[in-house]
Amino acid sequence: MLVIGESINASNRSVAEAIASRDREFLQSLARAQVAAGADFIDVNSGIGSGSPEYESTTMEWLVEVVQGATDKPLAIDSEIPSVIEAALRKYRGERLMINSVTAEPEKLESIGSLAAGHQAWLVALAMGTNGIPSSVEERLAACEQIMTHLTQLGLVAEQIFFDPLILPIAVDSTQAVVTLKTLEQIKSRYPAAKTVLGLSNISYGLPNRRLVNRAFLLMAAYAGLDAVILNPLDAKMMSFIKVADMLMGKEPSCRGYIRAHRKGILVD
Amino acid sequence: MLVIGESINASNRSVAEAIASRDREFLQSLARAQVAAGADFIDVNSGIGSGSPEYESTTMEWLVEVVQGATDKPLAIDSEIPSVIEAALRKYRGERLMINSVTAEPEKLESIGSLAAGHQAWLVALAMGTNGIPSSVEERLAACEQIMTHLTQLGLVAEQIFFDPLILPIAVDSTQAVVTLKTLEQIKSRYPAAKTVLGLSNISYGLPNRRLVNRAFLLMAAYAGLDAVILNPLDAKMMSFIKVADMLMGKEPSCRGYIRAHRKGILVD
C-alpha cells in the first residue's frame, strides 16, 4: 500500500508556526522522519485557506522547495485552490507528482483536472459534490461517475485517478464504516484501473481509543481494495499493520516485505 | 461476533495433565476465566485421538460435567469421533450446543450430522473432504456444497451450520489469506442463512509476530462476513479488535458495545 505522509500540514499548529517563521530545519526534519518511517509520498499543505491565495501561493512555492531539499520522495500537493497548485507545479522538480484534491464540482474538475492532465499528475478525487459528504454509497458513486466522465474528457486516464470514497464518523452513524468500504469496493469494480485512497482518522471522530479504531478500519479497507492511505507514518503500530495488510493481500512473494520489516525491528505488536 | 474460547483443549499440555489427574479446579478456573474475558461458547476437547474411543468418551463425559459445573455458557463439543460426541450429548444439560466438527466425508456427515440433527445442535463444518485442506476456493466450495446437500437431507437447516472456510499458512503460499476470505464471502453469498467460523492462528504459522498477523486477519475476515471465531479470549488485544470489528460492521446502534468496553477498561491498544 502506498503511504502518503500527512504531517506537513498547516492545520497542525507546530507546522503552521514553522511555516510562518520560515523554519526550514523543522520542516525538513519532519519530511525526513516520515521518509525514514516508510512514507512513499510527502503531503504538503501550506495553508488552511485563511490567508489570501497570493500569500498561500508564495508559501507553497517556498514549502515545495524546502521539502524537496530534504527528500527525493514525490510530493502530494494538498490544496483545492488552482493558483496554489500552479505555484507548486512551477517549483516542483520530480517525475511523479500527486495533486490532493478535486471534487465533482465542475469548475474545480475543469481547473484542477486540467492542471493534472497537463503535468501527468496523479489526482486525488473526493467522492462528493457541492453539498458535503453524501451519506449513501449511491450518491458517492454518482459523484465518482461525474468525476470520471469529466476527467476522461480532459485527457486523464483512470490510472492517474485516486478516488477517495470518504469517511463520516461512525459515532454519528453506525453504518458509515460499511458505507465507505462498499463505496470503495464499487469504485474498484467499476473502474478497475483507477486507484483508491483514504485518510483514516475521520472514522473514529468522537470515540475513545481512536488509534485502535483507525487501525482496525485500515485492515478492512485493505481487504476492500485500498491502494493508498494518508496518515502519520510515525505511528509505528499503524505502519506495522500496513506491512501485515500487504502480506495478507498476497502482494509479496514469500512474505518478503513483512519478514524484512521484522528483521529491521520495526514491527510493533 | 461469537467468541468460542479454545483453551480447554487436550492438545495444550497443562490441560492434558489436568484431565489426566482429574484436576477439576484447574479446568473450572480456565472455563471461568474465558467467560470473564468474553467467551460466548466454551470449546471442550478431551483428547487428541491417541487414547481409545472408550477412554476418550469417559473423559469427555467427565469434562462436560466439570465445565458445566463452572459456567452456564454453552459448550462446543470438539471431537470428530461420533461415540465421543454421543458421550458428551448424554451428559450435556443446556439448550444451545455446538458440535465441532464435521467434514465433507460422507460417513462423518452421516453419523455426526445425524447427532446434530437429533439434538438441534449447531454444527461446525470444515470446507474439506478426505484429501486434506484444498488450496483453491473452488474445491473448498465444492466441499461446502456436498456438506449442505447431505446435512439438509438429514434435516438440518442452514442456520445450524457454521462453515469453516479453513486457513493454510501464508508463509507457505502468499495467496492463502485471500483464498480463505474469498471462500468465506462465497459461502455467505451462496448460503445466506448459514454461519461462518474460523480458527485464526494457522494463518501466521511459521512467521514472526504471529499475534499481529492473526489480529490483522481477524479484521479482514470480519469484513468478509465472519460470524464466529475460535480463539483464546484471554488475548486482550484480540478481544479489543473484536469489539472494534463489531462496531465497524454496524452491528451496534450508537457504538454501544464499544463504548461499554471502553468504560470497563478492557480495550487494549
Side-chain angles (χ1 to χ4, degrees):
Chain A
M1 190 171 310
L2 213 62
V3 172
I4 303 162
E6 70 183 5
S7 306
I8 300 183
N9 190 308
S11 67
N12 299 337
R13 177 180 296 223
S14 59
V15 171
E17 288 171 0
I19 290 173
S21 64
R22 295 294 191 257
D23 184 347
R24 300 176 71 88
E25 190 42 51
F26 177 90
L27 295 162
Q28 291 191 328
S29 298
L30 202 47
R32 282 191 211 101
Q34 291 183 87
V35 171
D40 301 297
F41 273 75
I42 303 296
D43 194 80
V44 171
N45 176 304
S46 65
I48 48 176
S50 55
S52 69
E54 292 73 24
Y55 175 76
E56 220 171 284
S57 294
T58 316
T59 307
M60 180 61 96
E61 279 194 43
W62 176 80
L63 196 54
V64 165
E65 187 266 321
V66 166
V67 176
Q68 290 211 298
T71 174
D72 289 333
K73 290 285 175 188
L75 304 190
I77 305 301
D78 190 351
S79 174
E80 296 189 357
I81 306 170
S83 58
V84 174
I85 297 170
E86 276 189 286
L89 293 173
R90 274 197 301 275
K91 209 68 188 178
Y92 192 73
R93 44 167 188 78
E95 291 196 8
R96 177 54 61 212
L97 172 74
M98 189 177 278
I99 297 173
N100 177 18
S101 59
V102 76
T103 66
E105 294 166 87
E107 61 282 13
K108 285 196 179 169
L109 273 176
E110 188 65 28
S111 55
I112 300 178
S114 300
L115 289 172
H119 290 78
Q120 297 183 311
W122 290 353
L123 179 56
V124 175
L126 312 182
M128 61 185 280
T130 44
N131 300 317
I133 301 181
S135 61
S136 75
V137 175
E138 294 67 28
E139 292 165 287
R140 295 186 199 186
L141 290 173
C144 291
E145 186 60 28
Q146 288 169 36
I147 290 167
M148 185 54 98
T149 305
H150 200 134
L151 292 182
T152 307
Q153 285 165 359
L154 292 173
L156 276 87
V157 292
E159 287 80 355
Q160 280 176 270
I161 305 171
F162 280 68
F163 281 111
D164 182 337
L166 297 171
I167 297 176
L168 286 170
I170 192 157
V172 174
D173 172 355
S174 60
T175 69
Q176 283 299 323
V178 173
V179 166
T180 296
L181 297 169
K182 292 292 172 207
T183 305
L184 205 167
E185 277 190 358
Q186 284 295 314
I187 290 169
K188 296 296 288 184
S189 151
R190 292 187 186 192
Y191 319 111
K195 302 287 190 290
T196 52
V197 63
L198 271 177
L200 296 170
S201 60
N202 219 27
I203 192 70
S204 59
Y205 183 80
L207 289 175
N209 294 61
R210 292 189 62 178
R211 286 182 170 198
L212 184 68
V213 179
N214 297 347
R215 243 178 279 146
F217 191 62
L218 169 83
L219 268 301
M220 291 184 174
Y223 182 59
L226 189 65
D227 297 295
V229 62
I230 302 177
L231 49 68
N232 175 7
L234 302 181
D235 180 343
K237 286 189 180 181
M238 181 65 95
M239 292 298 281
S240 298
F241 272 101
I242 290 175
K243 292 281 176 205
V244 181
D246 283 343
M247 175 177 71
L248 290 174
M249 290 305 290
K251 292 180 180 172
E252 316 180 323
S254 313
C255 307
R256 219 175 281 160
Y258 178 79
I259 290 170
R260 202 183 304 127
H262 168 69
R263 290 197 179 132
K264 280 190 194 162
I266 59 177
L267 293 182
V268 184
D269 189 355
Chain B
M1 190 171 311
L2 212 63
V3 173
I4 304 162
E6 69 181 7
S7 307
I8 301 184
N9 190 308
S11 66
N12 299 337
R13 177 179 296 223
S14 60
V15 171
E17 288 171 359
I19 290 173
S21 65
R22 294 297 192 256
D23 184 347
R24 299 175 72 90
E25 192 41 53
F26 178 90
L27 295 162
Q28 291 190 329
S29 298
L30 202 48
R32 283 192 210 100
Q34 291 184 88
V35 171
D40 301 297
F41 273 75
I42 303 296
D43 193 80
V44 172
N45 176 305
S46 64
I48 49 176
S50 54
S52 70
E54 292 72 27
Y55 176 76
E56 219 170 287
S57 294
T58 315
T59 308
M60 179 62 96
E61 278 194 43
W62 177 80
L63 197 54
V64 165
E65 187 268 319
V66 167
V67 176
Q68 290 211 298
T71 175
D72 289 334
K73 290 285 175 189
L75 304 191
I77 305 301
D78 189 352
S79 174
E80 295 188 358
I81 305 171
S83 59
V84 175
I85 298 169
E86 276 190 284
L89 292 172
R90 275 197 301 276
K91 209 69 188 176
Y92 194 72
R93 43 166 190 77
E95 289 196 9
R96 177 54 61 211
L97 172 75
M98 190 177 277
I99 296 173
N100 178 19
S101 57
V102 77
T103 66
E105 294 166 87
E107 62 281 14
K108 284 196 179 170
L109 274 175
E110 187 65 28
S111 55
I112 300 178
S114 300
L115 289 172
H119 289 78
Q120 298 184 310
W122 291 352
L123 180 57
V124 175
L126 313 182
M128 62 185 279
T130 44
N131 301 317
I133 302 181
S135 61
S136 76
V137 175
E138 293 67 28
E139 292 166 287
R140 295 187 200 187
L141 290 172
C144 292
E145 186 60 27
Q146 288 169 34
I147 290 166
M148 185 53 101
T149 304
H150 201 134
L151 291 182
T152 308
Q153 285 165 357
L154 292 173
L156 276 88
V157 292
E159 287 80 356
Q160 280 175 271
I161 305 171
F162 281 68
F163 282 111
D164 182 338
L166 298 170
I167 297 176
L168 286 171
I170 193 158
V172 175
D173 172 356
S174 60
T175 68
Q176 282 300 323
V178 173
V179 166
T180 296
L181 297 169
K182 291 291 171 206
T183 305
L184 204 166
E185 278 190 358
Q186 283 295 314
I187 291 169
K188 295 298 286 183
S189 151
R190 293 186 186 191
Y191 319 111
K195 302 287 190 291
T196 52
V197 62
L198 271 177
L200 297 170
S201 59
N202 219 27
I203 193 69
S204 59
Y205 183 80
L207 289 175
N209 295 60
R210 291 190 62 178
R211 287 183 170 197
L212 183 69
V213 179
N214 297 347
R215 246 177 275 147
F217 191 62
L218 169 85
L219 270 302
M220 291 185 173
Y223 181 60
L226 190 65
D227 297 294
V229 62
I230 303 177
L231 49 69
N232 176 8
L234 303 181
D235 179 343
K237 287 190 180 180
M238 181 64 95
M239 292 299 281
S240 299
F241 273 104
I242 289 174
K243 293 280 175 207
V244 180
D246 284 343
M247 174 177 72
L248 290 174
M249 290 305 290
K251 292 180 179 172
E252 316 180 325
S254 312
C255 308
R256 219 175 280 161
Y258 178 79
I259 290 169
R260 201 183 306 127
H262 168 69
R263 290 196 179 134
K264 281 190 194 164
I266 59 178
L267 293 182
V268 183
D269 189 357

